[in-house]
Amino acid sequence: MGGYCTLGRVSGSWRLASGVCSAFKAAGFGTEARHQRQPQGSSKWLGTPGKQPFPGLLQPEYLSREELVDVLRASVVDQKGPLVTLNKPQGLPVTGKPGELTLLSVLPELSQSLGLGERELQIVQASEKESSGLVLLSSCPQTASRLQKFFTHSRRAQRPIATYWAVTDGIPTTSEGKIQAALKLEHIDGVSLVVPVKSPTRKDILEGVKRTLSYFRVVATGSGCALVQLQPLTVFPSQLQVHMVLQLCPMLGDHKYSTGVGTVLGQRFLLPAESIKPQRQVLDEALIRCLHLTPSQVAQLPLHLHLHCLHLPGARPRDSPVELVAPLPPYFSRTLQCLGLRQQ
């Protein structure tokens, strides 16, 4: 393992990963990871690429440990040196309570499955449970530590390292900008929710309120929806979902925070934080028709938030950063097609 722990060797592998990125881009936006095969004999999928309504959507809660390891092994985007990059399925928790089936809980089996022997993988960067996309793993603790320091330094310098794609119900009033909000985690009726805090005091900050910042850019619009590029500059649970709610444009499939947006006579407005209750997202009938869904299928609509790209340092200080890319899930690509959303 010693040779793999030097940045020169690791960065060399990132240059190879950049080639993978170029191949995905050349294939076109929305290209699906065709090598991410469904494990044989598994019926834990809500659809296949040829069926409606959510092709490729996995139900991780019904998987066995062995099936989950098979899924993750098939989701490997790149493996070079100590670094392994996965395209995580939507709905798979990264961590959880003891005994729960999570990405972290199966890392020992996944490490063995990928031929790493005693070099057990650890998580460097990952998308949240309800989002899909990139997970960066490392079998070298020193490399993982250096990458964590790089990510921390980049955030302090307000340099984006992660780029997400989201589909929103509604179109932001400006085509690009930044979203700043103080957020805190609250327990409302037994449910943990992230809520905004107006004009936080010093006491609020000491008690866990955090000032958050994200950049956004509208990439395409259609059918009253938008394809939005999001780059968080801070880290807080559900930050991007709440930020888009504050823009009055909740993400498609957001069954937790979309109730924070009310509508009267066609005009949207924010509801008080205490009125937010996780429940099925309410969509206009016209939008449901565009998505070719039935009202009951809307309840199964997955969150359309995908960690698409990560920026990593080059081999040497003067080298340009390298990109790692995770293709969009099939159901996400289907939604873009239904709504006529195309990258400009």
Side-chain angles (χ1 to χ4, degrees):
M1 183 173 71
Y4 288 132
C5 293
T6 64
L7 280 179
R9 178 67 177 273
V10 174
S11 298
S13 74
W14 293 340
R15 284 200 297 272
L16 292 173
S18 182
V20 176
C21 171
S22 300
F24 288 146
K25 288 182 177 178
F29 178 78
T31 301
E32 296 164 11
R34 292 180 174 84
H35 67 282
Q36 292 181 345
R37 60 193 181 279
Q38 175 180 338
Q40 292 184 352
S42 174
S43 60
K44 312 302 191 299
W45 301 73
L46 285 182
T48 61
K51 296 181 180 181
Q52 306 295 345
F54 308 120
L57 181 61
L58 185 65
Q59 293 180 291
E61 62 271 24
Y62 297 114
L63 292 176
S64 66
R65 293 183 69 89
E66 293 76 13
E67 287 174 325
L68 180 55
V69 172
D70 285 345
V71 167
L72 294 175
R73 188 177 66 238
S75 300
V76 172
V77 173
D78 190 60
Q79 181 180 358
K80 296 292 189 304
L83 294 181
V84 175
T85 309
L86 303 178
N87 193 358
K88 185 185 81 68
Q90 189 271 347
L92 174 64
V94 177
T95 61
K97 299 177 182 177
E100 290 183 348
L101 191 61
T102 64
L103 171 64
L104 181 63
S105 72
V106 298
L107 284 185
E109 293 99 318
L110 181 61
S111 302
Q112 291 291 331
S113 178
L114 295 175
L116 298 175
E118 296 181 359
R119 294 178 291 138
E120 188 172 315
L121 291 165
Q122 62 185 94
I123 299 169
V124 180
Q125 181 85 6
S127 51
E128 293 185 55
K129 173 184 176 180
E130 296 304 327
S131 57
S132 59
L134 282 170
V135 171
L136 184 62
L137 308 171
S138 175
S139 60
C140 172
Q142 291 91 333
T143 298
S145 176
R146 289 175 183 177
L147 281 171
Q148 293 285 10
K149 290 177 181 178
F150 166 76
F151 293 150
T152 300
H153 178 75
S154 296
R155 284 193 291 267
R156 287 174 179 169
Q158 294 199 350
R159 289 196 301 267
I161 56 173
T163 299
Y164 289 77
W165 294 105
V167 178
T168 61
D169 173 21
I171 302 172
T173 54
T174 57
S175 60
E176 61 181 294
K178 61 182 179 180
I179 306 167
Q180 299 182 81
L183 303 178
K184 68 175 179 178
L185 189 63
E186 274 195 0
H187 297 280
I188 301 175
D189 295 333
V191 179
S192 295
L193 291 172
V194 175
V195 298
V197 178
K198 292 183 178 180
S199 306
T201 64
R202 184 178 179 183
K203 181 183 177 182
D204 290 332
I205 300 299
L206 292 174
E207 292 178 349
V209 174
K210 182 171 181 178
R211 291 187 174 92
T212 61
L213 171 65
S214 300
Y215 292 137
F216 76 94
R217 181 172 69 89
V218 177
V219 177
T221 61
S223 305
C225 296
L227 172 62
V228 181
Q229 181 191 74
L230 290 159
Q231 294 180 314
L233 272 297
T234 51
V235 178
F236 200 81
S238 303
Q239 173 178 318
L240 296 179
Q241 287 172 256
V242 176
H243 278 188
M244 292 316 298
V245 166
L246 293 175
Q247 297 296 299
L248 304 179
C249 298
M251 297 178 188
L252 277 188
D254 186 351
H255 304 291
K256 193 169 186 178
Y257 295 101
S258 60
T259 55
V261 178
T263 305
V264 173
L265 299 177
Q267 297 298 312
R268 294 188 175 191
F269 60 94
L270 282 177
L271 292 169
E274 56 271 15
S275 66
I276 298 176
K277 293 183 179 179
Q279 61 185 27
R280 186 183 74 177
Q281 186 174 26
V282 177
L283 300 177
D284 290 340
E285 291 183 7
L287 177 54
I288 295 175
R289 287 196 298 270
C290 283
L291 294 171
H292 303 290
L293 300 176
T294 64
S296 62
Q297 288 171 338
V298 173
Q300 294 180 307
L301 187 68
L303 182 67
H304 281 57
L305 177 63
H306 180 74
L307 178 47
H308 181 62
C309 180
L310 281 174
H311 297 268
L312 303 180
R316 291 173 294 273
R318 295 182 181 180
D319 288 350
S320 299
V322 171
E323 289 182 325
L324 292 174
V325 167
L328 294 171
Y331 65 82
F332 200 120
S333 298
R334 174 192 178 276
T335 295
L336 296 184
Q337 214 169 21
C338 290
L339 298 177
L341 298 174
R342 295 289 183 270
Q343 184 182 27
Q344 301 299 316

